[in-house]
Amino acid sequence: MNGAETVLRTLLNNGVDVCFANPGTSEMQFVAALDDHPAMRGVLCLFEGVATGAADGYARMSGRAAATLLHLGPGLANGLANLHNARRAHAPVVNIVGDHAHSHKRLDSPLESDIDAVAATISSWVRRPATSSDIGRDTAEAVAAALSAGAGSPDRSHTGTSGAISTLIMAADLSWEAGTPPAPHLPPAPLRSVPRADLDAIAAVITGPEPVALLIDGAGLSEPGLQAAARIQKATGTATFCPTWPARIRRGAGVPAIQPLGYRAEAVGQQLAGIENLVLVGAREPVASFAYPGRPGVLTPPGTNVHRFVPDSGFNVVEALNELADIVAPGSLETLPVPDALPDIVDEPLRTENWAQVIGALLPHEAIVVDESITEGMNTLVPATANSAPHDVLGLTGLAIGQGIPVAVGAAIACPERPVVCLQADGSALYTISGLWTQARENLNVTTVLLNNSSYAILRAELDRVGGNQAGPAASALFDLSRPDIDFTAVATGMGVTATRATSTTELAEQFSTALATPGPHLIEAVLKPV
Amino acid sequence: MNGAETVLRTLLNNGVDVCFANPGTSEMQFVAALDDHPAMRGVLCLFEGVATGAADGYARMSGRAAATLLHLGPGLANGLANLHNARRAHAPVVNIVGDHAHSHKRLDSPLESDIDAVAATISSWVRRPATSSDIGRDTAEAVAAALSAGAGSPDRSHTGTSGAISTLIMAADLSWEAGTPPAPHLPPAPLRSVPRADLDAIAAVITGPEPVALLIDGAGLSEPGLQAAARIQKATGTATFCPTWPARIRRGAGVPAIQPLGYRAEAVGQQLAGIENLVLVGAREPVASFAYPGRPGVLTPPGTNVHRFVPDSGFNVVEALNELADIVAPGSLETLPVPDALPDIVDEPLRTENWAQVIGALLPHEAIVVDESITEGMNTLVPATANSAPHDVLGLTGLAIGQGIPVAVGAAIACPERPVVCLQADGSALYTISGLWTQARENLNVTTVLLNNSSYAILRAELDRVGGNQAGPAASALFDLSRPDIDFTAVATGMGVTATRATSTTELAEQFSTALATPGPHLIEAVLKPV
């Protein structure tokens, strides 16, 4: 057994049995060991951003950590943007990053770079085993640290993730030299409970005379969390909100609805107007994604009392919501109304206003919806899917675009029995487009709806908001994805994914139904025209 | 004039007039200012790794710095791998990275990350203007620092680059608030000259009794540098070598040949066997790309005297070579032999052994060859192009794959009158494949020969070398780019690039000639079968 096998077997001992890999020379022993350890599933990704995004998607759906296998500093750098999103999602991810052998570090050979500095920007835990005898322990600690906020316990897998990023940097000589026995399972720290005094204090706020809103995130957006929130809401009139794009949220017919805060500060200002107490439940205080001249960054209206009831990591949000519900709404059960019928699909050209209604009408039972629709879905997706079959939605947590296709890979591997629907904006699709190939390689049941509006539409809007001039031709060219138009059906086909193009609602409906009924990955390019 | 315009106008004052951009909200003022400053060419890239690789290619061919425009930490991270290559190429690049407004930083909004830490790993110069009055000066210093090793002077543009990476981090509020006047041109530090005593000492070594080799890099691989080296070689019998994949090297008929060190340590051992003095001329001591069990990392044979004659950055390599030639070979002029005729193209299926001969036979005059052929070109490209029309070759300096397509973008923009031939391995192409779209958008004369061997061929070889087991099916799957095969003609067509597929030498020859004769970008997928 060499050191790489010690890592691999320790990962298996600690419940990590999927590795999204884009390896190089320094990771060859790990690769070589896969044949002797078939319990570890190696999934080849053709770009590191696919590997890290897939690990994020896997974690969000399984509650468990996946490993990534990355090659030196540039490999980690290529995966960094989606690790940024994973960090914001509290997704447990264990990066295994190979490094040069100890004797080789001082030579400053071509691929040498400061791996530790890059890793530290997104990792809660970074370590290099110093000797062979450290490898097992360090690997087990890497997993436990990723799960330290309580993710990963099987009985909590339905409640979303509450983890962090660990990065284990393995010098090549430690991988090829004789290893030491793998470490056994190291239990992660359990989720903490909210103290009774805090529950009573918040219950008093909620039942008091002043208008109150709950802002819920994390596992609070699971079905049990939303059920508890609905009990509270019904008994007390408390408003409930969630972030615009949570890491994971349960939605659809029979699931208590919760109102997402708008992406724009103005919208949030209207939503929170008149609220005197904002209670954070596994959530952080809402802030604008960007500063704008003369506009506030904190979105809570001035004078609002902000109660930090349940921190956004490390605490049992569902338990807290249930206990709060038991205090303020004892014994109550929320009976959900029969949902409205989904709208008929009227045949018309696709545009921003209607594509989501098609998806909402046809969304299959227990779908996993990966939402990187950005401007195209910002105001349309939530209403269009409110009465769809129950489903989970995975959002763009860190706003680093290029997450959708990779997260869909990981979600499909975590939940092979569930259909994955990836709603993917065009501009951001190209960052990690080779994830389509991994979908084909692994024959994943992912249907990507590629929303092609031929532009970075959000940037055009942003230019106005930051006080830029009216965009002239030179500025406009930098938002414009035409000249040439991208043919996403050709790109997808080239990567082995069956692809079609829809220009009308009925075409989208037909192609979406066909894709869902046919195993393996599909891409539908939805060509959206401005009204 | 706002702060973004101060940056833009200072860049123009300092000779930076191309900006490879993948902007976001924080960079909108810079984008908005482009229409009022048509001297700045904004080139849209659909992924940051394309922008940074393009800046590298531009710098290698022009000797001048290009700017990149990147969005916050994740944007910089996406561009990091090609900045790593640019750093290893000593290419001057000025990154303009937007950041949140000062008031927004403390809010830890979704895109917040440690930009400075990431930037420091590849930059020689990192700074944040603190106030509006710093912007002009800091921008000018960023350019001067990138050029501080003497790149950028027009009269040295043919001699390759000798620069570094600067990263200017611009808080959004500084961009939108009133700016201050742009800074004038700040001359970069000039290249330094080698002291006379060093010249004399090396001349004594070269003319002494012991076998000597020159290892030349940087501007020493320009035509004047190679001419001087050839004079020295002819007069003294000194061997001359260059790195395997230099940043830029002049080659072809009439250009003095120089022997590249092999990629493998064994090959280098044979090349340097018997050499008692190795003289480094703008080069670093050769080291293996990776450590292997039981093999040395330093490639110079034990006992060799290594003379650090001209450092690899900041010194005038061409001047040093000429002065050395004047001492050891006064007045001599190298008359080059008439080159051998290029081989006729024999019609046969394409394979590793013959594709490069087709390229060599048909390479147009003054081509720029971007070489990311990796295993497919490692032993074939140099002999096949030795007698081709004179050309420049840009190599994979930092071994971070995914450089080829972006570097071709930048080279074509730097030298619009020259044909660019991008020799691109399949596995690495997918990292930055959207660079093809930018080639189409800008109508660049780039012919990409996509070498499709359906594998990460180099990793299969690496596995053997690091002492891995015989690869079983699970390990082999991680090198295998089939299941499904990637159809690069479909991918390229989808991005607006005319594409064809060649399976024989005559097909490749016909398609290559047609592509070169037709304006705009083309891609030829060369399907390589193992023998």
Side-chain angles (χ1 to χ4, degrees):
Chain A
M1 182 167 58
N2 60 29
E5 290 175 88
T6 306
V7 173
L8 197 158
R9 292 173 64 171
T10 304
L11 289 174
L12 288 170
N13 287 350
N14 283 272
V16 177
D17 57 12
V18 175
C19 177
F20 297 98
N22 189 260
T25 301
S26 343
E27 297 79 35
M28 283 300 104
Q29 276 79 16
F30 192 99
V31 170
L34 289 174
D35 282 283
D36 286 338
H37 299 88
M40 178 65 74
R41 178 175 181 180
V43 178
L44 177 59
C45 302
L46 302 186
F47 176 66
E48 294 87 349
V50 176
T52 55
D56 182 10
Y58 178 91
R60 293 195 206 182
M61 288 315 303
S62 68
R64 297 167 60 207
T68 68
L69 187 64
L70 307 174
H71 185 43
L72 296 163
L76 176 62
N78 280 335
L80 211 65
N82 273 335
L83 289 171
H84 168 90
N85 287 322
R87 181 174 85 85
R88 294 289 182 189
H90 295 296
V93 175
V94 179
N95 300 307
I96 312 293
V97 182
D99 193 12
H100 288 305
H102 287 92
S103 63
H104 208 69
K105 288 291 285 179
R106 65 177 175 80
L107 303 182
D108 194 29
S109 62
L111 269 165
E112 178 67 30
S113 71
D114 190 344
I115 302 175
D116 308 70
V118 170
T121 65
I122 43 78
S123 309
S124 298
W125 185 103
V126 182
R127 198 178 298 167
R128 296 173 168 270
T131 69
S132 291
S133 57
D134 300 330
I135 297 172
R137 182 203 64 206
D138 286 351
T139 305
E141 288 190 14
V143 180
L147 299 171
S148 68
S153 305
D155 61 325
R156 280 198 293 268
S157 65
H158 64 288
T159 62
T161 56
S162 183
I165 315 287
S166 293
T167 302
L168 182 79
I169 305 173
M170 273 291 285
D173 50 334
L174 289 185
S175 281
W176 74 54
E177 287 171 1
T180 45
H185 181 242
L186 179 63
L191 284 180
R192 296 170 61 190
S193 295
V194 173
R196 180 73 202 189
D198 291 1
L199 284 162
D200 290 336
I202 293 299
V205 169
I206 288 178
T207 54
E210 296 172 343
V212 181
L214 304 182
L215 177 59
I216 305 173
D217 200 355
L221 302 178
S222 65
E223 193 149 346
L226 292 170
Q227 292 281 3
R231 286 170 60 199
I232 296 166
Q233 183 174 30
K234 189 177 183 191
T236 66
T238 300
T240 59
F241 295 99
C242 68
T244 314
W245 290 314
R248 177 176 173 181
I249 182 170
R250 185 76 171 165
R251 294 186 49 79
V255 181
I258 187 169
Q259 196 180 344
L261 292 177
Y263 181 73
R264 299 291 186 203
E266 305 88 289
V268 178
Q270 291 179 7
Q271 290 174 302
L272 299 184
I275 300 292
E276 295 193 33
N277 291 281
L278 180 67
V279 179
L280 303 178
V281 188
R284 300 167 61 214
E285 186 169 7
V287 299
S289 296
F290 298 98
Y292 300 96
R295 293 182 178 150
V298 175
L299 301 182
T300 318
T304 308
N305 296 310
V306 177
H307 305 269
R308 296 169 204 287
F309 173 42
V310 189
D312 67 325
S313 183
F315 279 77
N316 192 327
V317 186
V318 175
E319 179 188 75
L321 279 169
N322 273 316
E323 290 180 351
L324 191 62
D326 289 343
I327 298 171
V328 303
S332 74
L333 279 173
E334 175 71 2
T335 306
L336 287 168
V338 175
D340 298 337
L342 288 160
D344 290 335
I345 296 167
V346 180
D347 185 25
E348 52 187 5
L350 282 176
R351 50 178 191 265
T352 300
E353 289 70 23
N354 61 22
W355 70 265
Q357 292 177 338
V358 177
I359 304 303
L362 300 175
L363 201 65
H365 190 68
E366 288 302 328
I368 300 166
V369 176
V370 177
D371 178 20
E372 192 168 316
S373 56
I374 312 183
T375 46
E376 288 299 334
M378 204 178 272
N379 299 311
T380 61
L381 188 64
V382 169
T385 54
N387 292 325
S388 301
H391 60 281
D392 289 288
V393 183
L394 312 184
L396 183 59
T397 46
L399 298 186
I401 59 176
Q403 168 189 287
I405 293 170
V407 162
V409 167
I413 286 176
C415 302
E417 73 292 353
R418 295 179 63 175
V420 176
V421 175
C422 178
L423 306 175
Q424 179 63 61
D426 51 355
S428 43
L430 289 173
Y431 286 64
T432 47
I433 192 79
S434 74
L436 292 175
W437 181 87
T438 299
Q439 293 178 8
R441 159 67 70 96
E442 303 289 333
N443 198 32
L444 303 178
N445 292 321
V446 177
T447 299
T448 301
V449 180
L450 195 301
L451 302 158
N452 188 346
N453 60 18
S454 295
S455 68
Y456 286 125
I458 197 163
L459 293 188
R460 204 181 296 275
E462 292 294 292
L463 181 62
D464 295 338
R465 289 174 63 83
V466 295
N469 319 347
Q470 187 73 18
S476 295
L478 293 196
F479 313 137
D480 172 27
L481 301 182
S482 68
R483 297 193 302 113
D485 280 317
I486 298 163
D487 178 348
F488 283 98
T489 65
V491 173
T493 303
M495 298 202 183
V497 170
T498 305
T500 54
R501 179 177 292 116
T503 60
S504 71
T505 49
T506 48
E507 285 176 1
L508 177 59
E510 286 166 16
Q511 294 172 18
F512 190 62
S513 297
T514 302
L516 291 167
T518 315
H522 297 77
L523 181 140
I524 302 164
E525 181 176 357
V527 180
L528 299 168
K529 298 288 179 200
V531 185
Chain B
M1 184 166 58
N2 60 29
E5 290 177 270
T6 305
V7 173
L8 197 158
R9 292 173 65 173
T10 303
L11 289 173
L12 288 170
N13 288 350
N14 283 272
V16 177
D17 56 13
V18 175
C19 178
F20 297 99
N22 188 261
T25 301
S26 344
E27 297 78 36
M28 282 300 105
Q29 276 80 16
F30 192 99
V31 171
L34 289 173
D35 282 283
D36 286 339
H37 300 89
M40 178 64 76
R41 179 175 180 180
V43 177
L44 177 59
C45 302
L46 302 187
F47 176 65
E48 294 87 348
V50 176
T52 56
D56 181 9
Y58 178 91
R60 293 195 206 182
M61 288 314 303
S62 69
R64 297 166 59 205
T68 68
L69 187 64
L70 307 174
H71 185 44
L72 297 162
L76 176 62
N78 280 334
L80 211 65
N82 274 335
L83 289 171
H84 169 90
N85 288 322
R87 181 174 85 85
R88 294 291 182 188
H90 295 295
V93 175
V94 179
N95 300 307
I96 311 293
V97 182
D99 193 12
H100 288 305
H102 287 92
S103 63
H104 209 68
K105 289 290 284 179
R106 67 176 173 81
L107 302 183
D108 194 31
S109 62
L111 270 165
E112 179 66 31
S113 71
D114 190 344
I115 301 175
D116 308 69
V118 170
T121 66
I122 42 77
S123 310
S124 297
W125 186 102
V126 182
R127 198 177 298 165
R128 296 174 170 270
T131 67
S132 291
S133 57
D134 300 329
I135 297 172
R137 182 202 65 206
D138 286 351
T139 305
E141 288 189 14
V143 181
L147 299 171
S148 68
S153 305
D155 61 327
R156 281 197 292 268
S157 66
H158 65 287
T159 62
T161 57
S162 183
I165 316 286
S166 293
T167 302
L168 182 78
I169 305 173
M170 273 292 285
D173 50 333
L174 290 185
S175 280
W176 76 52
E177 286 170 2
T180 44
H185 181 243
L186 179 63
L191 283 179
R192 296 169 61 188
S193 295
V194 172
R196 181 71 202 190
D198 292 1
L199 284 162
D200 289 337
I202 292 299
V205 169
I206 288 178
T207 55
E210 296 171 341
V212 181
L214 305 183
L215 177 60
I216 305 174
D217 200 355
L221 302 178
S222 65
E223 193 149 346
L226 291 169
Q227 292 281 2
R231 287 170 59 198
I232 296 166
Q233 182 173 32
K234 189 176 184 192
T236 65
T238 300
T240 58
F241 295 99
C242 68
T244 314
W245 291 313
R248 177 177 173 180
I249 182 171
R250 184 75 172 166
R251 292 186 50 79
V255 181
I258 186 168
Q259 197 181 343
L261 293 177
Y263 181 73
R264 299 291 185 206
E266 306 86 290
V268 178
Q270 290 178 9
Q271 290 174 302
L272 298 184
I275 299 292
E276 297 194 31
N277 292 280
L278 181 67
V279 179
L280 303 177
V281 189
R284 300 169 59 212
E285 186 169 8
V287 298
S289 296
F290 298 98
Y292 300 96
R295 294 184 176 148
V298 174
L299 301 182
T300 318
T304 308
N305 297 309
V306 177
H307 304 270
R308 295 169 204 286
F309 173 43
V310 188
D312 67 324
S313 183
F315 279 77
N316 192 328
V317 186
V318 174
E319 179 189 76
L321 279 168
N322 272 316
E323 290 181 351
L324 190 62
D326 289 344
I327 297 172
V328 303
S332 74
L333 279 174
E334 175 70 5
T335 306
L336 287 169
V338 175
D340 299 337
L342 288 160
D344 289 336
I345 296 167
V346 180
D347 186 24
E348 52 189 6
L350 282 176
R351 51 178 190 263
T352 300
E353 289 68 24
N354 62 19
W355 71 265
Q357 293 176 339
V358 177
I359 304 303
L362 300 175
L363 201 63
H365 190 70
E366 289 300 329
I368 301 166
V369 177
V370 177
D371 178 20
E372 193 168 315
S373 56
I374 312 183
T375 46
E376 288 299 334
M378 204 178 273
N379 300 311
T380 60
L381 187 65
V382 168
T385 54
N387 292 325
S388 300
H391 59 280
D392 290 287
V393 183
L394 311 185
L396 184 59
T397 46
L399 298 185
I401 60 176
Q403 169 188 286
I405 294 169
V407 162
V409 167
I413 286 176
C415 302
E417 74 292 353
R418 295 179 65 175
V420 176
V421 174
C422 178
L423 306 174
Q424 179 61 61
D426 51 355
S428 43
L430 289 174
Y431 287 63
T432 46
I433 192 77
S434 74
L436 292 175
W437 181 86
T438 299
Q439 293 178 9
R441 158 68 70 96
E442 301 290 333
N443 198 33
L444 304 178
N445 292 320
V446 178
T447 298
T448 301
V449 181
L450 195 299
L451 302 158
N452 188 346
N453 59 17
S454 295
S455 69
Y456 285 124
I458 197 163
L459 294 188
R460 205 181 296 276
E462 291 293 294
L463 181 62
D464 296 337
R465 290 175 63 83
V466 295
N469 320 346
Q470 188 73 18
S476 295
L478 294 196
F479 313 138
D480 171 27
L481 301 182
S482 68
R483 297 192 301 114
D485 281 316
I486 297 163
D487 178 348
F488 283 98
T489 65
V491 173
T493 302
M495 297 202 185
V497 169
T498 305
T500 54
R501 179 178 292 117
T503 60
S504 71
T505 49
T506 47
E507 285 175 0
L508 177 59
E510 286 167 14
Q511 293 172 19
F512 191 61
S513 298
T514 301
L516 290 167
T518 315
H522 298 77
L523 181 140
I524 301 165
E525 182 175 356
V527 179
L528 299 169
K529 297 288 178 200
V531 185

Tab-separated table of all heavy atoms in Angstrom, chain A residues 104-127:
chain	number	residue	atom	x	y	z
A	104	HIS	N	11.506	18.123	-5.048
A	104	HIS	CA	11.346	18.864	-6.304
A	104	HIS	C	10.878	20.298	-6.084
A	104	HIS	O	11.009	21.142	-6.977
A	104	HIS	CB	10.331	18.121	-7.182
A	104	HIS	CG	10.526	18.313	-8.655
A	104	HIS	ND1	11.604	17.797	-9.340
A	104	HIS	CD2	9.794	18.975	-9.580
A	104	HIS	CE1	11.517	18.114	-10.614
A	104	HIS	NE2	10.428	18.839	-10.788
A	105	LYS	N	10.326	20.573	-4.906
A	105	LYS	CA	9.715	21.886	-4.665
A	105	LYS	C	10.709	23.032	-4.877
A	105	LYS	O	10.393	24.045	-5.475
A	105	LYS	CB	9.176	21.956	-3.235
A	105	LYS	CG	7.934	21.121	-2.989
A	105	LYS	CD	6.711	21.664	-3.701
A	105	LYS	CE	6.134	22.909	-3.030
A	105	LYS	NZ	4.948	23.384	-3.817
A	106	ARG	N	11.929	22.837	-4.355
A	106	ARG	CA	12.886	23.948	-4.385
A	106	ARG	C	13.378	24.257	-5.799
A	106	ARG	O	14.031	25.280	-6.037
A	106	ARG	CB	14.078	23.631	-3.484
A	106	ARG	CG	14.882	22.450	-3.981
A	106	ARG	CD	16.122	22.143	-3.141
A	106	ARG	NE	16.754	20.921	-3.620
A	106	ARG	CZ	17.558	20.853	-4.684
A	106	ARG	NH1	17.846	21.959	-5.359
A	106	ARG	NH2	18.060	19.700	-5.083
A	107	LEU	N	13.102	23.366	-6.758
A	107	LEU	CA	13.614	23.571	-8.113
A	107	LEU	C	12.782	24.560	-8.914
A	107	LEU	O	13.170	24.947	-10.009
A	107	LEU	CB	13.682	22.227	-8.857
A	107	LEU	CG	14.530	21.141	-8.183
A	107	LEU	CD1	14.551	19.882	-9.050
A	107	LEU	CD2	15.955	21.643	-7.957
A	108	ASP	N	11.635	24.950	-8.391
A	108	ASP	CA	10.761	25.894	-9.105
A	108	ASP	C	10.528	25.429	-10.545
A	108	ASP	O	10.688	26.197	-11.497
A	108	ASP	CB	11.369	27.309	-9.084
A	108	ASP	CG	10.342	28.361	-9.501
A	108	ASP	OD1	9.142	28.145	-9.270
A	108	ASP	OD2	10.753	29.376	-10.094
A	109	SER	N	10.139	24.186	-10.683
A	109	SER	CA	9.896	23.631	-12.026
A	109	SER	C	8.636	24.260	-12.617
A	109	SER	O	7.901	24.968	-11.923
A	109	SER	CB	9.794	22.108	-11.945
A	109	SER	OG	8.711	21.733	-11.138
A	110	PRO	N	8.387	24.024	-13.902
A	110	PRO	CA	7.377	24.857	-14.589
A	110	PRO	C	6.019	24.948	-13.904
A	110	PRO	O	5.419	26.026	-13.893
A	110	PRO	CB	7.265	24.188	-15.966
A	110	PRO	CG	8.613	23.583	-16.200
A	110	PRO	CD	9.092	23.128	-14.848
A	111	LEU	N	5.526	23.868	-13.346
A	111	LEU	CA	4.183	23.909	-12.761
A	111	LEU	C	4.163	24.351	-11.297
A	111	LEU	O	3.093	24.382	-10.676
A	111	LEU	CB	3.503	22.541	-12.912
A	111	LEU	CG	2.673	22.379	-14.188
A	111	LEU	CD1	2.334	20.930	-14.460
A	111	LEU	CD2	1.408	23.214	-14.127
A	112	GLU	N	5.314	24.679	-10.744
A	112	GLU	CA	5.367	25.106	-9.346
A	112	GLU	C	4.570	26.399	-9.148
A	112	GLU	O	4.686	27.342	-9.926
A	112	GLU	CB	6.830	25.327	-8.945
A	112	GLU	CG	7.034	25.813	-7.524
A	112	GLU	CD	6.635	24.770	-6.481
A	112	GLU	OE1	6.749	23.564	-6.772
A	112	GLU	OE2	6.186	25.174	-5.399
A	113	SER	N	3.752	26.412	-8.094
A	113	SER	CA	3.067	27.647	-7.721
A	113	SER	C	2.629	27.518	-6.272
A	113	SER	O	2.790	26.462	-5.658
A	113	SER	CB	1.862	27.916	-8.626
A	113	SER	OG	0.824	27.000	-8.366
A	114	ASP	N	2.066	28.589	-5.728
A	114	ASP	CA	1.710	28.607	-4.310
A	114	ASP	C	0.317	28.014	-4.129
A	114	ASP	O	-0.691	28.732	-4.096
A	114	ASP	CB	1.781	30.044	-3.790
A	114	ASP	CG	1.661	30.105	-2.271
A	114	ASP	OD1	1.222	29.113	-1.654
A	114	ASP	OD2	1.996	31.162	-1.705
A	115	ILE	N	0.262	26.687	-4.023
A	115	ILE	CA	-1.018	25.988	-3.879
A	115	ILE	C	-1.712	26.402	-2.588
A	115	ILE	O	-2.928	26.628	-2.547
A	115	ILE	CB	-0.802	24.459	-3.875
A	115	ILE	CG1	-0.113	24.007	-5.166
A	115	ILE	CG2	-2.127	23.725	-3.698
A	115	ILE	CD1	0.243	22.522	-5.167
A	116	ASP	N	-0.929	26.497	-1.518
A	116	ASP	CA	-1.495	26.781	-0.198
A	116	ASP	C	-2.238	28.113	-0.192
A	116	ASP	O	-3.318	28.222	0.405
A	116	ASP	CB	-0.376	26.782	0.842
A	116	ASP	CG	0.452	25.508	0.768
A	116	ASP	OD1	1.201	25.341	-0.221
A	116	ASP	OD2	0.353	24.657	1.671
A	117	ALA	N	-1.642	29.121	-0.831
A	117	ALA	CA	-2.282	30.442	-0.822
A	117	ALA	C	-3.604	30.400	-1.571
A	117	ALA	O	-4.597	30.978	-1.132
A	117	ALA	CB	-1.350	31.479	-1.454
A	118	VAL	N	-3.607	29.725	-2.709
A	118	VAL	CA	-4.847	29.639	-3.479
A	118	VAL	C	-5.891	28.845	-2.697
A	118	VAL	O	-7.060	29.236	-2.607
A	118	VAL	CB	-4.574	29.004	-4.863
A	118	VAL	CG1	-5.872	28.677	-5.582
A	118	VAL	CG2	-3.721	29.939	-5.712
A	119	ALA	N	-5.467	27.728	-2.112
A	119	ALA	CA	-6.412	26.875	-1.377
A	119	ALA	C	-7.032	27.621	-0.204
A	119	ALA	O	-8.224	27.454	0.104
A	119	ALA	CB	-5.713	25.615	-0.884
A	120	ALA	N	-6.230	28.441	0.456
A	120	ALA	CA	-6.720	29.114	1.662
A	120	ALA	C	-7.878	30.054	1.371
A	120	ALA	O	-8.684	30.343	2.260
A	120	ALA	CB	-5.585	29.881	2.336
A	121	THR	N	-7.979	30.517	0.126
A	121	THR	CA	-9.032	31.502	-0.152
A	121	THR	C	-10.426	30.882	-0.140
A	121	THR	O	-11.405	31.608	-0.007
A	121	THR	CB	-8.810	32.214	-1.509
A	121	THR	OG1	-8.918	31.259	-2.569
A	121	THR	CG2	-7.456	32.894	-1.556
A	122	ILE	N	-10.540	29.565	-0.306
A	122	ILE	CA	-11.878	28.955	-0.330
A	122	ILE	C	-12.022	27.814	0.676
A	122	ILE	O	-13.126	27.275	0.825
A	122	ILE	CB	-12.263	28.443	-1.736
A	122	ILE	CG1	-11.085	27.722	-2.413
A	122	ILE	CG2	-12.736	29.555	-2.643
A	122	ILE	CD1	-10.808	26.366	-1.989
A	123	SER	N	-10.956	27.441	1.345
A	123	SER	CA	-10.997	26.267	2.225
A	123	SER	C	-11.099	26.690	3.679
A	123	SER	O	-10.451	27.643	4.109
A	123	SER	CB	-9.717	25.434	2.052
A	123	SER	OG	-9.474	25.161	0.691
A	124	SER	N	-11.871	25.936	4.455
A	124	SER	CA	-11.851	26.115	5.903
A	124	SER	C	-10.722	25.311	6.530
A	124	SER	O	-10.351	25.546	7.683
A	124	SER	CB	-13.169	25.640	6.517
A	124	SER	OG	-14.230	26.406	6.026
A	125	TRP	N	-10.210	24.352	5.783
A	125	TRP	CA	-9.202	23.420	6.300
A	125	TRP	C	-8.223	23.155	5.165
A	125	TRP	O	-8.620	22.722	4.084
A	125	TRP	CB	-9.905	22.137	6.740
A	125	TRP	CG	-9.090	21.070	7.405
A	125	TRP	CD1	-9.035	20.775	8.736
A	125	TRP	CD2	-8.232	20.097	6.781
A	125	TRP	NE1	-8.205	19.709	8.971
A	125	TRP	CE2	-7.704	19.273	7.786
A	125	TRP	CE3	-7.859	19.857	5.447
A	125	TRP	CZ2	-6.824	18.221	7.519
A	125	TRP	CZ3	-6.982	18.821	5.175
A	125	TRP	CH2	-6.475	18.014	6.214
A	126	VAL	N	-6.947	23.440	5.378
A	126	VAL	CA	-5.890	23.149	4.401
A	126	VAL	C	-4.763	22.467	5.144
A	126	VAL	O	-4.325	22.952	6.204
A	126	VAL	CB	-5.325	24.428	3.732
A	126	VAL	CG1	-4.258	24.071	2.693
A	126	VAL	CG2	-6.422	25.257	3.092
A	127	ARG	N	-4.298	21.337	4.655
A	127	ARG	CA	-3.144	20.709	5.293
A	127	ARG	C	-2.352	19.902	4.276
A	127	ARG	O	-2.902	19.390	3.311
A	127	ARG	CB	-3.580	19.811	6.455
A	127	ARG	CG	-2.415	19.508	7.411
A	127	ARG	CD	-2.842	18.651	8.582
A	127	ARG	NE	-3.852	19.301	9.424
A	127	ARG	CZ	-4.560	18.656	10.344
A	127	ARG	NH1	-4.374	17.362	10.538
A	127	ARG	NH2	-5.453	19.299	11.068
